[in-house]
C-alpha cells in the first residue's frame, strides 16, 4: 500500500484531473464536430467552445509543467523493472507532447483559416490569432496542413490516453502496487481490529 509520502500533492492531482476530464471532453466534442451533421448555428457555438477549452487546457498544461519542474513526483515502485520505468517515462513524455501539440496545432489551424472567424473565449474574452499567418496570400494549403496535423494528433492522443489508462488499471488490479491510488484523493480506511479478536 502507498504511504502519504508516496502520494502526489493536492495541486498535482487537481491539475491532472482537470486535464484528464478536459481531454476526454474535447476528444468527444471533436468527434461530434467532425462526424456529426449539425445545424450551422450549433456548429459555430461548438467550435467556439472547443477553442475556448483548448486554450484553457494549454494554460493548465503550462501550469502543470511548471509545477512538475518545482515538485518532484513520487518515485516509481521498487517492483517495477527498468524496462517498465522507461516505458512509463516514454508514455508520460508522449502525453506532455500531446498536451501542447493539440492546442497549439488547433490555434494554428484557426489562425490560418480562410474563414478568419474570430475566437472569443467563452463568449467573453477576444483571443488573437497567431501572428505568423496574417500576411499569407494563400492560406488554404496551410489550413489544410494544420487540419491534417490536428486530426492525426487527436487520433494519436486517443491512443496515448488509452494506453495510459490501461497501464493505470494494470497497476491497480493486477500488480496492486498502489500507483493509481497516488493520484486519487485519500480515503479513510477502517482500522484493522483483527489483532483484538
Amino acid at each position: 500500500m502507498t504511504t502519504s509520502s508516496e502520494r502526489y500533492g493536492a495541486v498535482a492531482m487537481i491539475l491532472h484531473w482537470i486535464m484528464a476530464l478536459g481531454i476526454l471532453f474535447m476528444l468527444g466534442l471533436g468527434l461530434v464536430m467532425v462526424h456529426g451533421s449539425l445545424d450551422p448555428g450549433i456548429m459555430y457555438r461548438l467550435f467556439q467552445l472547443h477553442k475556448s477549452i483548448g486554450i484553457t487546457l494549454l494554460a493548465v498544461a503550462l501550469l502543470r509543467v511548471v509545477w512538475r519542474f518545482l515538485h518532484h513526483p513520487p518515485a516509481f515502485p521498487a517492483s517495477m523493472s527498468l524496462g517498465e520505468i522507461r516505458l512509463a517515462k516514454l508514455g508520460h513524455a508522449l502525453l506532455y507532447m500531446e498536451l501542447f501539440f493539440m492546442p497549439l496545432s488547433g490555434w494554428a489551424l484557426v489562425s490560418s483559416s480562410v474563414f478568419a472567424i474570430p475566437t472569443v473565449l467563452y463568449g467573453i474574452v477576444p483571443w488573437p490569432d497567431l501572428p505568423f499567418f496574417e500576411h499569407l496570400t494563400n492560406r488554404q494549403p496551410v489550413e489544410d496542413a494544420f487540419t491534417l496535423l490536428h486530426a492525426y494528433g487527436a487520433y494519436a492522443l486517443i491512443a496515448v490516453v488509452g494506453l495510459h489508462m490501461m497501464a493505470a488499471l494494470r497497476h491497480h488490479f493486477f500488480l496492486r502496487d498502489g500507483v493509481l491510488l497516488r493520484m486519487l484523493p485519500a480515503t479513510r480506511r477502517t482500522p484493522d481490529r483483527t489483532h483484538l479478536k
Side-chain angles (χ1 to χ4, degrees):
M1 300 299 290
T2 58
T3 64
S4 58
S5 62
E6 296 172 327
R7 297 177 60 80
Y8 284 91
V11 173
M13 287 186 193
I14 291 170
L15 294 175
H16 174 274
W17 290 110
I18 288 175
M19 292 299 305
L21 295 175
I23 288 170
L24 292 176
F25 180 80
M26 288 288 277
L27 288 172
L29 181 59
L31 290 172
V32 169
M33 289 162 52
V34 172
H35 299 291
S37 181
L38 301 173
D39 176 81
I42 296 175
M43 186 66 77
Y44 172 80
R45 289 192 290 273
L46 290 181
F47 267 97
Q48 289 293 342
L49 178 62
H50 192 80
K51 292 187 288 184
S52 298
I53 298 176
I55 294 299
T56 302
L57 291 179
L58 177 60
V60 175
L62 285 168
L63 182 58
R64 187 174 180 185
V65 167
V66 171
W67 189 263
R68 178 71 178 264
F69 180 76
L70 296 175
H71 300 80
H72 292 291
F76 290 103
S79 58
M80 288 181 64
S81 67
L82 180 59
E84 288 176 318
I85 291 174
R86 286 176 175 171
L87 282 175
K89 289 182 176 180
L90 175 62
H92 281 103
L94 291 174
L95 271 175
Y96 276 102
M97 287 173 58
E98 283 282 354
L99 293 183
F100 289 97
F101 178 79
M102 288 305 296
L104 289 175
S105 63
W107 192 0
L109 168 57
V110 169
S111 301
S112 61
S113 174
V114 295
F115 296 109
I117 299 174
T119 298
V120 183
L121 304 183
Y122 303 104
I124 300 173
V125 181
W127 189 260
D129 288 338
L130 290 168
F132 319 114
F133 308 104
E134 57 187 10
H135 301 301
L136 287 175
T137 55
N138 184 11
R139 291 188 168 200
Q140 192 63 61
V142 180
E143 180 185 359
D144 291 343
F146 280 113
T147 298
L148 199 63
L149 285 171
H150 197 64
Y152 279 111
Y155 290 120
L157 180 57
I158 291 172
V160 173
V161 168
L163 289 171
H164 183 72
M165 292 172 64
M166 286 191 292
L169 294 175
R170 173 177 175 265
H171 278 283
H172 187 69
F173 290 107
F174 294 97
L175 302 180
R176 299 181 182 275
D177 54 13
V179 166
L180 178 60
L181 297 177
R182 302 190 303 183
M183 192 52 85
L184 296 175
T187 56
R188 287 187 177 182
R189 294 186 177 87
T190 303
D192 184 5
R193 302 180 183 274
T194 55
H195 65 285
L196 300 178
K197 294 182 179 180

